[in-house]
Structures are given as C-alpha cells and as structure tokens.
Amino acid sequence: MMKVHETRSHAQSHASGDEEKGKTRKQKADNKTQEAEQAQKKAKPENENDNGRGHPNGKPSTDVAKEFDEFCKAVEGQLSVEQMRETLEANGQDSSGPDVAVVTKCLDMLFYGPLERCPVCNGKLEFDGKRYSCKGMYSEWSTCTFRTKDPPRKQGPINLPDSVLNSPISDLLKKYQDPGRRPHRDLGAHDKPFTGMMISLMGRLSRTHQYWRNNIEKHGGKVANSVIGATCLVASPAERERGGSSKLVEAMERGIRVVREAWLIDSIEKQEAQPLEAYDLVTDLAADSKGIPWDKMDPSEEALESIAAELKLYGKRGVYKDTKLQEQGGEILEKDGILYNCAFSLCDQGRGLNHYCIMQLITVPESDLNLYYKKGKVGDDPNAEERLEEWTDVDNAIKEFVRLFEEITGNEFEPWEREKKFQKKPLKFYPIDMDDGFEVRHGGLGMRQLGVAVTHSKLDPMVANFMKVLCSQEIYRYALMEMGLDAPDLPMGMLSNVHLNRCEEVLLQFIERLKLKKETGQKVEAVWTDFSNRWCTLLHSTRPFIFRDYQELADHAAAPFESVRDITLASQLIGDMSGSTLDDPLSDRYEKLGCSISALQKDSDDYKMILNYLEKTYEPVKLGDIEYGVSVDNIFAVEPDACPSLDEIKKLPNKVLLWCGTRSSNLLRHLHKGFLPAVCSLPVPGYMFGKAIVCSDAAAEAARYGLTSVDRPEGFLVLAVASLGHQVTELKNPPEDTKTLEEKKVGVKGLGRKKTDESEHLIWQEDIKVPCGRLMASEHKDSPLEYNEYAVYDPKQTSIRFLVGVKFEERGVEMEEAE
C-alpha cells in the first residue's frame, strides 16, 4: 500500500497553460446587479464632497462639470466645425476625424487646455467618454495602451485664430485662455472595479488562486476563504457538471451569486464591475455556444469547442479543409521551388485584434487553378472573410496572390519565401512559417485507429500501448488546447526552424531588456504589452493576454515554446498515420524513435526500488479545493540512443537518480533527442539556474509538470541519472547571472524548503545515489524552492533510464499500485 498525493503548485500551474480570456458578450452598465451596486457604494470616490480641494479655481467638481456644459452650449452655437479644426491646428492638436470628434476635442481644449503628447509613445491623446487614451503606435507590433484620467496639458496660453477672435464669443474663450484660470477636469478616482467587494474562489480556474488573489486586491477587493459575507463566488462550469462542492451548495443556499471566471476578467479589462447576473453559473451554466466567437466564451467553454475542432491546415503542403478541394485531389501549387501556401497571424490587444489569414493556390486535376483566401478572428468562422476563385491563367493567379501578400503584410512575397526576409509593419499580419509535413493533430492516430493499431503491432503489447499514446492525436490536442495554441486554422505544432528561432530570439531579447530595467511607470506596462503582442502573434493564441511578471513568462511563454518545439519534432517523426493501420505503423515509429523500451516486471528489484522512491518523495499538495492522488500503471526501462548508455554514464562522477517532470506531449522528443536545456534564464523555479536541465529528488515536484487536466488523468514521470560533476555548487537563491554556471557547466544543487532523509538513501548500480528518503523540513525555510532541484548544463551529463506511467486522481486517497 502506498500513500501518494499530488497537485500542481500555484507557481507551476503552467502545465494547464490556460491563459486569461478576452472579452465576453457586451453587457450594458444599466443592468448592473443590486449586489454589485451595493458593494461599490461602500467606498466613496476620492473626489466626492471634496469642496473644491485640488482644483486650481477652487470649485467643486460638480460645479466645474456644470460650467463646462454651459460653455459647450455657448461655443457650439457660435463656432463652425471648420473654425474648430483651425483652432485645434493652431494649438498643435489633432484636427482629423468626423465632425462630432472634432467638436469634442476642440471644446475639451478650449475649456481645460491643449493636451500634451502621450508620455509613452509621443502619440496623440483622445477623450473616449471615460478617460484619455493614446491612439498612437508603441511599435510596429503594438498600439499604445496609455490611458489616464488626468492627462498632461500644455501650460502656455491657447492660440485663437483671427476668425475665432472676431466671433461673438471671443470674450468667453479669452476667459479660459490663461492656464492659471483653467478648471481641472476631474473624472473621478482611478478605477478599482472590486472596491468594497469580498470575492470567494473555488476549484480549478484558468489561472491560479494566488494570481486572482493578487489581482482582486490590486483592483480594490478582498478574497474570502468562505462564502459567508462574500459578494459572489467565482467558479468553473466544470464544478456544476461535477455536482458542485459544499462551498457551491452553501453559496446557493445563502443566495450568493455564483459566477464564471470571465466576470473577473471583464471587470478588470473594462475597469468597472460587470453585472453579476450576466455571468451567473448556477441558473445558466453555458449558453449554446454555436455561433458564439471563442473570445466571447468562458475559458472552459472555449476549451470544449476548440478540443473538438478539426485541424484545417496541417502544414506547408496541406490544402485548407474548408476549400473541400482536397477531396478532389487538390494540391498546393509549387512553381520554381515556391509553395503558394501562406498562413498569417496578427495580435494587437490594444485594438482588440487577434486574427489569422490563410492564402493558397490550389491545383485540381482537370480543372482551373483555385485561389483561396480567408481572414478572420480565431473561433469566429461565421464572420470570417472567405473566397474561393477559379483562375484560368496561372501567371495572373500568382500576381494576385503576390498582391494580396503585400496588401496584408506590407512586405514583398519572394524575399520572404526565398530568404525569409521580413519586416513587421504596424497593424499588418506576420507570416507563420509552416514546416513541410503533417501536424500531429492531423497525422497522428485518431480515436478509432488506436486499438486497431495495437492489435496489428508486432511490438510487445505493453510497449505497443505506450507507443499508441505517444502517436495519438489526443495528447497533442490537449497540450495545445491547455496552452491556448490550438487554433484549428493554423498548424502551431508544425512550425519551421526559422519560425521557432524567431520566437526564441524575441523571448531572449525581452528578458535581456527586463534586466536593464530602464523604463518606469506606464512605460513599463507598454513594454510588457508590446512583448505580449509580439508573442501572441508569433505563437498565435486563442486566448491572448498581457504578461505581467517573470512567473507568467515562464508559465505562458518559455514552457509553451519548449512544448511547441517538441510537438513539432513529434509531428515530423509521426508523419501521416491517417491511412491503414494494417502495415503496423507503431512498429515503424518505434524504429524511427531510436530508443529501446521494455516494461519492468512488477516483482523486479528495479520496479520495487522505483515504487519506494515514488512513495517516499510524494506528499499531499493542494490546488484550490482539490487534492490529487497518484497510482502507478506501468514502469518502462528505456535506453535512448541520444543519451549516454548506462555504462557510459557510470564513468562520470557524482551520479544521482532524479525525477524529471514533463508533459506527455514532450516525451517523444526527449526519447528521440534526449533532454534539452531550458530555453532561457528567469528568476523562478525551473528556470532560475539558466539554460540548464533541471531535475529533483522529489517526485511531487516532477509530477507538477506531468498532471494536465482533470479529465486527462494519465501522465508520465521520468527518472534519469544525472552526473553533477566533481564540483557541485549549492545555492539557496537564484544567481543574478547564470552565464558563469552555463559556461563552466558546473553541477548545481538548489536547496529547497524540504529535503529527503539521507538515512534512507540507497545506492543503485554500484555507485548511483538514489535520494529516496522521506521528505522533511530543511534548514532553508526562506528558499524560493519547495524541493531540492539539481541542474546540469551538458545533455551528455544526463541519461534517461525509466518512465513511470501514472494516473492522477482527485482527492487525497490512498492508492495501491494498479494490478
């Protein structure tokens, strides 16, 4: 009997990969619920009853607003729109736009003073009814996101053109010409949508409870552990489907509104608490999602839609599914070494853009050439722009294809296709460079083929079942869905090396910029937003969001990049298995894998040793309200050709058998190519030792990466022998600069808050240490690491030896090893 419990820690919840959703359906403010109104009334705005404090003219904000209304009526009746345009231009203000916009801008300037330029990008500020926002571009990737209720204004006198000075209201305008006499526009305190609210959280959400606690408190609210006295309870629709917990039942009995997580997301984005009833989870679990764009759905609803969506484009030679031309033998036109098949992405969260575009020239036997063009928002097919045209002249069709490429990207086509020369243009698409092959969501084994493939395989049945898992579409579909990279229109699991290198370059450049920390204030937010738009354009996301800190970079940029890189290699190795399974495709892929795999007998010494190691180094870990136990299915001994053999690794010094965490979707790459060091250095667990291969002596640490979702309980833990070298550096905190460690390739031991009992350690294979002691508190109580981590920098210092197939199950129950 073994007591083994596990959940992912909040810090490592990137295995789920679910990021923040975009907006849900628009809700009118006048429908705001009574609960939200009462909560918001508890905290009065800072400017209420201010008796004129803070106003240069000594007037209360209500009097200023009334004075402005009277001023507007007087001026609008005497000045023409052309005079207003002239006045704006005379003061260096933006005079473009429709008449209504010109009038609004001019009245604001004449009463409150001319606006300065945006302090972030030097763009022009405009009033949108609630605040002033910049309409400029921060970079070719991003709209500026600067917004304020107190904009900078020019201190000089207002320049009035002769036509205005000669108007009947010149005396009124002169009254406000002097900056010393101008009123101050008070738009209220900065928005804190949750002010006065007590919010309770329950169960597995798309972001960790700690993430939401920080954001709720940042936006004026508090988080309650119980529902007593709470404004609302935030939960996932999955809780309703599972019957709900006692917390949900208690909220219903007390009449406390239970809402979807999207309420938090939308309230923060719109800087105003949204009406609770519009996000009600109990009385209306999920609207029929047919026809509703994904970015208007709850994250869990969108996940169900996306996981069921069929991949429409599988690689550089793939004919887009919606054309239906593949059924007629359609193929991508290839001429002079160029395949006329392009996919594009554009993400600009400041403008609410998250779009893709597909362009193809398709040849069909005994028919004209076809030009296919589609552009739209991910998950919103009904509103996509789409056309399929027949062309009798190939050269003219190619000219139109080239014209469209230049129109949507601002770049020439041939320099991109032949040399990958490309310069991103503002609000234009960026090409997603697909590799030539079959993305595994298309080429991997489908559900109906899985059992048949095992039946016809010459492999040992247990090995065949293992290969079936690694060659199935399912694990890759779920991995991409959990990371928000599963758009059916783009093959994000089949990217070229050029594109992957570009992603890595953008990530590393951004990390280096963060280390310099030149920006302050709102410029910092602009830097993060700019990177977020770059990243979500290069790795097209169904759920783009703004990165805020190093942990999010690790969870939602570095780790997904490594997964996409590994899935691309898996796609290449698996190829197209959509045909007949009678020719034993599993044995063929096993040979290509280059790794010997055999199941351990359950009465063998190695099997017993691994069970003992797993039992001793596990402990209950809680995620929200849920705990997960784990049971062992099978244990496989492996010998990858890409790793040092056991004899070779035994020649190296200071060897330890350690746990390594991985997604199932990354496993094929590890077995085929061996471990790769982390892509970057970040001051968070898993990346704090730089570009290293990181393992742990605690199975609980490794399992955080192996557990994905509640409905996908199977996973794998890896055991590898790591040689730490003659010299081991012990660290309590992450080093400021990891380059020295990377260059010297010194073994590192990160000291965690918990360690294994050394009196229970074992020796395996003569001199390989197995730190299989029970977990206990260490003397390093302030360490950022919960468990010890070990880092090596040379892949030849690690050798994968065992794969432990496990099942994760809810509740902290005792689990026997599976029979």
Side-chain angles (χ1 to χ4, degrees), residues 462-463 466 597-600 634-638 716 801-803:
M462 293 181 70
V463 176
F466 172 72
I597 304 173
S598 59
L600 287 182
N634 293 295
I635 301 177
F636 296 94
V638 297
F716 293 93
R801 305 314 309 167
F802 299 104
L803 300 177

Side-chain angles (χ1 to χ4, degrees), residues 200-218:
S200 186
L201 307 172
M202 184 183 78
R204 181 191 291 267
L205 303 173
S206 71
R207 309 301 294 276
T208 65
H209 283 215
Q210 187 58 48
Y211 170 89
W212 281 125
R213 179 182 292 275
N214 293 342
N215 271 273
I216 289 167
E217 291 175 352
K218 175 182 174 183

Side-chain angles (χ1 to χ4, degrees), residues 19 39 53 100 178 216 229 245 312 381 404 431 440 457 487 515 767 785 819:
E19 301 88 24
R53 285 173 296 176
V100 173
D178 181 358
I216 289 167
S245 68
K312 297 181 179 181
D381 260 16
L404 287 170
V440 68
S457 179
K515 291 178 180 177
D767 65 344
L785 299 174
E819 293 298 331

Side-chain angles (χ1 to χ4, degrees), residues 6-10 619-628:
E6 193 276 339
T7 57
R8 294 172 299 171
S9 73
H10 292 176
E619 62 181 1
V621 183
K622 200 171 183 180
L623 171 64
D625 301 323
I626 306 172
E627 291 182 355
Y628 292 90

Side-chain angles (χ1 to χ4, degrees), residues 607-632:
Y607 195 99
K608 294 174 183 176
M609 178 270 291
I610 293 167
L611 278 183
N612 174 60
Y613 195 2
L614 181 62
E615 179 185 9
K616 294 280 187 68
T617 60
Y618 242 94
E619 62 181 1
V621 183
K622 200 171 183 180
L623 171 64
D625 301 323
I626 306 172
E627 291 182 355
Y628 292 90
V630 70
S631 62
V632 175

Side-chain angles (χ1 to χ4, degrees), residues 248-374:
L248 186 143
V249 173
E250 184 180 4
M252 293 173 65
E253 290 175 347
R254 292 177 176 272
I256 294 169
R257 187 77 72 173
V258 182
V259 297
R260 297 179 286 118
E261 186 179 8
W263 177 75
L264 292 172
I265 296 169
D266 288 359
S267 296
I268 291 174
E269 181 175 337
K270 297 172 183 177
Q271 298 189 26
E272 184 176 21
Q274 297 301 294
L276 290 168
E277 80 274 12
Y279 298 81
D280 189 278
L281 182 64
V282 179
T283 57
D284 182 19
L285 172 61
D288 182 8
S289 60
K290 298 298 183 183
I292 299 175
W294 289 0
D295 70 327
K296 302 293 189 295
M297 296 183 195
D298 181 271
S300 58
E301 294 167 18
E302 179 268 312
L304 293 174
E305 287 286 306
S306 65
I307 198 67
E310 187 174 355
L311 184 66
K312 297 181 179 181
L313 178 60
Y314 61 77
K316 193 69 173 176
R317 294 183 184 273
V319 175
Y320 190 77
K321 181 177 180 294
D322 286 359
T323 67
K324 302 188 185 306
L325 295 179
Q326 72 276 12
E327 301 163 8
Q328 303 173 33
E331 294 182 351
I332 299 297
L333 174 68
E334 184 172 7
K335 187 177 181 184
D336 299 329
I338 290 179
L339 282 166
Y340 286 85
N341 181 12
C342 292
F344 309 90
S345 172
L346 170 63
C347 179
D348 188 329
Q349 295 173 74
R351 295 284 178 96
L353 299 175
N354 186 37
H355 289 66
Y356 67 91
C357 182
I358 307 294
M359 286 170 35
Q360 298 186 328
L361 285 176
I362 307 164
T363 62
V364 178
E366 302 178 4
S367 181
D368 291 333
L369 184 65
N370 293 267
L371 171 60
Y372 180 74
Y373 177 88
K374 183 177 181 182

Side-chain angles (χ1 to χ4, degrees), residues 742-779:
E742 294 167 11
E743 291 169 357
K744 293 183 178 179
K745 291 185 168 48
V746 175
V748 175
K749 181 179 181 180
L751 303 172
R753 299 188 298 276
K754 296 171 185 175
K755 64 181 180 179
T756 57
D757 186 345
E758 291 193 21
S759 67
E760 298 180 341
H761 290 186
L762 301 175
I763 298 297
W764 179 67
Q765 291 288 334
E766 300 176 1
D767 65 344
I768 298 173
K769 184 178 179 181
V770 184
C772 54
R774 296 185 185 278
L775 290 169
M776 56 193 294
S778 74
E779 56 272 29

